[in-house]
Amino acid sequence: MAKIGLVGFFGWGNYGDELFHRIWENSIGSVHETRLLHDKLEYPYFTRNAVDIAKEVDAIVIGGGDLVIPNKISPLYWNKAWLNRPIYISGVGVPTWIKTEADDVMSRLRTFFQHKNVKYISARDVESAEWIRKKLTPNIEVRHHADLAFSGVYPPAKKFDKPTIGISLRTHRAGSDPTVLLNACKSLQDEGYDILNIVMGTGRTRAADLQVAKDFPLDGQIIFESEDIDEISSAIGGVHTLISNKFHGTVVATTYGVSSVVLSSTSKSRNLYRRLGRTPLLSSATDENLLNKVRLAEMPISEDALKTLRLEAFEGVHSVVRAINKDFPAK
């Protein structure tokens, strides 16, 4: 049993990242000993020297989320100290909508990805993989697969007393004009739907997102919050349609077969919905056609397309586990 250090945005309570952490614990952690390498949720993320922390593990997995950012680098993800150990980069994304590339950041990322101790690289979509190949030119293969959260094992969907539309908001959207979304929700209430405002955060993130939910000025909305990500997933799975400002709300809804209208049409959402043939459901909180898109969400999710995404994600998880096991066979 090897000691594997996990590096990612873990512990802050962001729903998608906590899903990734669970996936690593359930896969890598079933074979090897795992531990998070950071012990603080504030910069500089460590109470001890990162070189000493790296010495305490046999290998490091860096994975999940938009970790490869062309104009900003994190000492948590791309710390030079990690390169003293074998590195497995798995399921990372690139926010390709960021067009500004900082020369020093790109140089550091290139140095990291090209290092001889980087043993494995995969990205969560073909667009991120192509960016990494072109911009960072690593010396090993760059694989791609569906977002790793498609491999998750989720609880049964929650049963609601009435047909329910889910919405999810987020803190950095808090200042946007709520009028269009508010009017859409009122119309849906008039049609007999309950509106469930799902707080997709735990821990530190939960408190901030809960306040955003409370500030949404919709009379009669039901706010759902929990410290248990399974309960959050179950609520997502139980709604009729999800109007989501969080990417992994859409991913998990899709996994349950629940249609999701996307309020934050980032590159990862556009890439996913192109694959699913659901680009008409990309929207925004100020989209005058939002209500029509909620009705359009009745369009069924392709079972074949979803099966492909699930299989890719399962293979993405298993391939990095196989790579680690090859280098650190059980004794």
Side-chain angles (χ1 to χ4, degrees):
M1 179 180 288
K3 295 179 180 179
I4 309 297
L6 302 179
V7 172
F9 193 64
F10 306 137
W12 281 264
N14 186 55
Y15 177 62
D17 294 289
E18 300 311 321
L19 291 176
F20 292 140
H21 187 197
R22 173 173 290 183
I23 287 166
W24 292 143
E25 294 294 352
N26 289 343
S27 56
I28 300 169
S30 69
V31 183
H32 302 287
E33 179 184 334
T34 58
R35 53 167 288 192
L36 298 181
L37 291 192
H38 67 281
D39 59 0
K40 292 180 62 179
L41 299 183
E42 301 85 17
Y43 180 87
Y45 310 118
F46 315 106
T47 57
R48 299 181 294 129
N49 188 291
V51 172
D52 294 331
I53 295 170
K55 289 177 180 177
E56 296 172 355
V57 296
D58 298 301
I60 295 171
V61 172
I62 304 172
D66 287 330
L67 305 189
V68 185
I69 303 174
N71 61 359
K72 182 172 63 176
I73 197 160
S74 168
L76 172 56
Y77 311 139
W78 312 114
N79 197 305
K80 295 176 183 178
W82 306 154
L83 294 170
N84 292 313
R85 289 289 181 264
I87 300 286
Y88 304 84
I89 301 170
S90 179
V92 295
V94 182
T96 54
W97 55 268
I98 297 176
K99 302 303 181 183
T100 303
E101 297 177 2
D103 290 343
D104 60 330
V105 170
M106 294 298 292
S107 177
R108 286 182 60 185
L109 286 171
R110 203 170 290 117
T111 298
F112 197 104
F113 275 72
Q114 293 176 0
H115 197 276
K116 61 182 176 60
N117 277 349
V118 174
K119 307 297 184 182
Y120 177 98
I121 303 172
S122 77
R124 59 122 191 274
D125 51 43
V126 65
E127 293 82 2
S128 294
E130 285 295 334
W131 190 96
I132 292 169
R133 293 185 193 110
K134 179 180 178 181
K135 300 287 188 175
L136 305 183
T137 59
N139 299 312
I140 60 173
E141 176 188 8
V142 180
R143 307 168 186 232
H144 65 268
H145 47 70
D147 189 275
L148 295 176
F150 278 110
S151 74
V153 177
Y154 298 105
K158 185 177 177 64
K159 302 294 185 182
F160 293 102
D161 294 334
K162 291 175 57 179
T164 301
I165 301 290
I167 63 173
S168 75
L169 309 177
R170 61 189 308 164
T171 51
H172 70 252
R173 301 285 177 183
S176 62
D177 186 348
T179 303
V180 170
L181 178 59
L182 182 63
N183 288 340
C185 289
K186 288 178 178 178
S187 295
L188 292 164
Q189 284 177 322
D190 291 341
E191 294 172 17
Y193 289 101
D194 277 343
I195 303 299
L196 187 73
N197 197 328
I198 304 174
V199 177
M200 291 186 194
T202 56
R204 179 178 298 189
T205 300
R206 175 185 179 184
D209 284 352
L210 175 60
Q211 188 59 54
V212 173
K214 289 179 176 178
D215 289 343
F216 186 61
L218 178 67
D219 291 338
Q221 71 169 342
I222 303 165
I223 295 177
F224 182 90
E225 57 169 324
S226 176
E227 278 298 312
D228 186 337
I229 61 171
D230 276 341
E231 292 184 356
I232 296 171
S233 299
S234 180
I236 293 170
V239 300
H240 179 270
T241 303
L242 179 68
I243 306 171
S244 184
N245 231 325
K246 290 204 173 185
F247 176 68
H248 282 97
T250 293
V251 168
V252 172
T254 302
T255 305
Y256 276 103
V258 172
S259 285
S260 177
V261 176
V262 174
L263 288 184
S264 182
S265 300
T266 56
S267 51
K268 55 190 172 185
S269 297
R270 293 195 301 271
N271 296 340
L272 173 60
Y273 267 26
R274 273 197 296 268
R275 290 201 63 184
L276 287 169
R278 300 176 72 79
T279 55
L281 299 184
L282 296 171
S283 188
S284 72
T286 57
D287 183 354
E288 295 295 338
N289 291 313
L290 176 60
L291 185 57
N292 290 332
K293 291 181 178 181
V294 174
R295 297 194 172 104
L296 183 62
E298 295 291 340
M299 60 191 291
I301 297 169
S302 165
E303 291 184 7
D304 287 343
L306 178 55
K307 182 179 179 180
T308 297
L309 293 175
R310 293 274 281 168
L311 289 173
E312 279 187 19
F314 280 119
E315 174 57 24
V317 172
H318 293 315
S319 64
V320 72
V321 173
R322 287 195 301 268
I324 294 169
N325 290 346
K326 180 181 177 181
D327 293 337
F328 298 94
K331 297 179 180 179

